[in-house]
Amino acid sequence: MSKPSTKVSRRQQILESLAHMLEVSPGARITTAALAKEVGVSEAALYRHFPSKSKMFEGLIEFIEETLFSRIGLITNDDSSALSRCNKILFLLLTFTERNPGITRLLTGDALTGETERLRARVVQLFDRLETQIKQILREAEIREGIRPVLPVTAAANLLMATAEGRISQFVRSEFKRSPTEHWEEQWPILVSGFLRESLQPVN
């Protein structure tokens, strides 16, 4: 989500400005006064589009969900192998965070300190949904590809997600200097060979 242009709706402009502020001021708490100044409107104008700052954050989380899961739907329907689809989903997540550093602060909870529990719960649900998708793909592999992982599917999916989440946390902690996709292409084969590729055994 780039810095706002003049051709977007005021609502979208507010969200884009909020994302931009989260990116350029890592660690800073965003106030509605500062956001209004960034957008170039009054605070009252902000509240005509969003009843609270929490609703603005919620709008960004909705953007994340819509962007990720619309593309994941295409990935899950392609005919590539299970491991390939898992890789595509995780790389999509990492690429999205790399391209939207400000919004990524929401995913790590860095920007949600002091905000409502509902927002944190929604982020938890987003990651749970991603992990569930990975588990479904691995379970399908047992049927479609005739393989049975020695490592339980739940544990395998959790490890894959934990690896991706760790890279995202490093990205935010480094103030966006450490790319979440850096070395992923080289690391992925090593990751899956350690607990999936070698442990996936043909079904007898």
Side-chain angles (χ1 to χ4, degrees):
M1 186 173 282
S2 58
K3 192 160 177 12
S5 67
T6 57
K7 297 183 179 181
V8 300
S9 68
R10 180 67 75 192
R11 179 184 173 88
Q12 184 178 347
Q13 186 181 18
I14 291 169
L15 293 178
E16 290 182 351
S17 293
L18 177 57
H20 177 70
M21 292 180 73
L22 288 168
E23 177 180 349
V24 299
S25 303
R29 182 173 173 80
I30 307 300
T31 65
T32 53
L35 178 58
K37 183 178 180 180
E38 175 78 9
V39 179
V41 299
S42 66
E43 286 188 72
L46 290 182
Y47 290 123
R48 282 199 292 271
H49 296 278
F50 295 95
S52 66
K53 189 172 65 172
S54 290
K55 285 295 184 181
M56 298 176 200
F57 281 136
E58 195 167 353
L60 290 179
I61 295 172
E62 287 174 358
F63 168 74
I64 298 170
E65 292 171 337
E66 291 170 3
T67 302
L68 289 179
F69 290 108
S70 62
R71 296 176 186 178
I72 286 172
L74 298 176
I75 293 171
T76 56
N77 289 327
D78 71 28
D79 58 0
S80 58
S81 69
L83 292 182
S84 176
R85 281 179 284 153
C86 288
N87 185 20
K88 289 176 183 179
I89 289 173
L90 294 174
F91 191 70
L92 168 65
L93 173 63
L94 297 175
T95 301
F96 176 86
T97 58
E98 186 171 56
R99 293 176 179 174
N100 298 276
I103 294 176
T104 301
R105 290 183 57 201
L106 299 178
L107 293 179
T108 62
D110 177 69
L112 294 178
T113 302
E115 298 299 332
T116 65
E117 179 60 32
R118 184 185 74 255
L119 291 176
R120 290 188 291 276
R122 186 154 182 177
V123 171
V124 169
Q125 290 171 358
L126 186 154
F127 278 106
D128 285 347
R129 187 176 171 189
L130 284 168
E131 188 166 329
T132 296
Q133 190 66 70
I134 296 292
K135 283 191 288 188
Q136 289 176 344
I137 291 173
L138 294 178
R139 287 193 180 106
E140 288 172 8
E142 295 180 300
I143 300 173
R144 296 182 180 180
E145 300 174 32
I147 53 179
R148 178 181 297 141
V150 173
L151 187 66
V153 165
T154 297
N158 177 258
L159 182 54
L160 289 177
M161 284 302 305
T163 302
E165 289 186 56
R167 298 176 72 89
I168 294 169
S169 293
Q170 286 181 335
F171 181 48
V172 173
R173 189 170 62 247
S174 69
E175 296 188 354
F176 314 130
K177 296 180 181 67
R178 192 164 187 177
S179 167
T181 61
E182 183 181 15
H183 305 308
W184 180 259
E185 185 176 346
E186 300 94 330
Q187 291 173 347
W188 172 256
I190 304 301
L191 176 64
V192 296
S193 69
F195 74 94
L196 276 179
R197 195 175 299 279
E198 290 182 357
S199 65
L200 289 176
Q201 304 295 332
V203 175
N204 294 325

